[in-house]
Amino acid sequence: MCGAHASIDPASIPNMAAKRLLEVESKFMFDPTLIPRLISNGGNPRFKRLEAVGTHMMTDTYYDHRDILSSNAIWLRRRQDGHSTILEAKVRVGGNYARSTFDEITDGAVIAKTVRPHVPGFNEAKENLGLDILARFTTTRQCFRADDKFSIMLDQMDFGHSIGEVELMAEDEAIAHQAIDGFMARYPWFFLKGKAEGKLEAYFRVKGAQ
């Protein structure tokens, strides 16, 4: 997430009833040495429009109990971003790791209603929420808004891993993924093909090798 989300205009989708906005994203590999070219919009082809939104650091702590939440496509994390701290549950409601649709929940009561059926010991007042710390790491995130629609996030973690995301907030998952796929296909010089290794997957690989 990079501040205000990019989104598909609901008015452009005919006969669509109002729905809850979903976070639709595609992950990708990127070459950090190409970031200066991205910042200057000097690639071939150039982005139609590119705006640097900013760079910030955040520390994420993920919680689980015996991998029960993650096995149910729920990721519970506390994010410290500057002076603010927020507890968030991300629930995957469609797709797979690389091409995902998430429902982001930040309301404490709704988080509890989502998490407790799986791990009854969850308690926001307890140390570590009454759960186990799954992972903790710090990320430097560079954010861009491209072609007036798309959020691009470039994450570099403190354990040596990098991953990017293109994101839209949208009402319709299929339309959003189609838009993202077309966008990324237009700029293959930056959006590299291949499997993007996830943050937690890379975290456990690196920690396991130490």
Side-chain angles (χ1 to χ4, degrees):
M1 185 185 302
C2 277
H5 282 292
S7 64
I8 290 177
D9 182 0
S12 68
I13 307 172
N15 302 319
M16 176 163 286
K19 298 180 181 178
R20 179 183 177 91
L21 285 178
L22 298 171
E23 178 186 286
V24 183
E25 62 185 44
S26 286
K27 296 177 174 62
F28 63 91
M29 299 186 299
F30 69 93
D31 180 352
T33 66
L34 292 176
I35 292 177
R37 191 182 303 177
L38 174 70
I39 292 173
S40 66
N41 199 9
N44 185 20
R46 294 164 56 92
F47 289 92
K48 296 176 184 177
R49 180 176 173 83
L50 186 70
E51 175 188 0
V53 177
T55 300
H56 62 281
M57 295 181 67
M58 55 196 181
T59 298
D60 289 331
T61 304
Y62 286 82
Y63 302 91
D64 206 337
H65 179 63
R66 299 179 180 176
D67 298 327
I68 293 173
L69 293 177
S70 58
S71 65
N72 284 279
I74 300 170
W75 285 266
L76 181 65
R77 73 184 177 200
R78 177 170 278 141
R79 170 164 290 176
Q80 184 176 355
D81 189 347
H83 297 293
S84 66
T85 301
I86 187 169
L87 182 65
E88 178 183 53
K90 293 189 66 172
V91 182
R92 190 168 66 209
V93 296
N96 52 34
Y97 168 74
R99 300 174 77 250
S100 306
T101 303
F102 287 99
D103 191 1
E104 287 191 334
I105 305 168
T106 56
D107 180 272
V110 181
I111 289 175
K113 187 175 180 180
T114 302
V115 170
R116 281 202 181 112
H118 303 285
V119 281
F122 170 79
N123 187 330
E124 194 170 348
K126 288 185 177 180
E127 183 179 4
N128 299 330
L129 310 177
L131 306 176
D132 305 316
I133 293 179
L134 184 66
R136 179 183 286 133
F137 50 82
T138 298
T139 300
T140 299
R141 169 169 288 181
Q142 293 176 270
C143 300
F144 302 85
R145 183 176 173 90
D147 294 0
D148 297 318
K149 274 189 178 183
F150 303 93
S151 291
I152 302 173
M153 287 153 284
L154 307 180
D155 289 350
Q156 299 185 68
M157 277 60 74
D158 60 0
F159 56 88
H161 181 60
S162 299
I163 191 170
E165 294 181 7
V166 174
E167 180 184 293
L168 284 175
M169 294 298 291
E171 295 176 321
D172 187 278
E173 175 185 0
I175 291 175
H177 274 306
Q178 185 177 23
I180 291 172
D181 290 346
F183 168 73
M184 295 175 70
R186 287 197 295 272
Y187 309 106
W189 63 270
F190 190 76
F191 301 113
L192 304 181
K193 291 184 177 181
K195 181 181 181 297
E197 186 180 28
K199 295 178 184 179
L200 290 175
E201 182 182 359
Y203 176 87
F204 293 122
R205 174 180 55 78
V206 171
K207 294 301 180 181
Q210 291 179 350

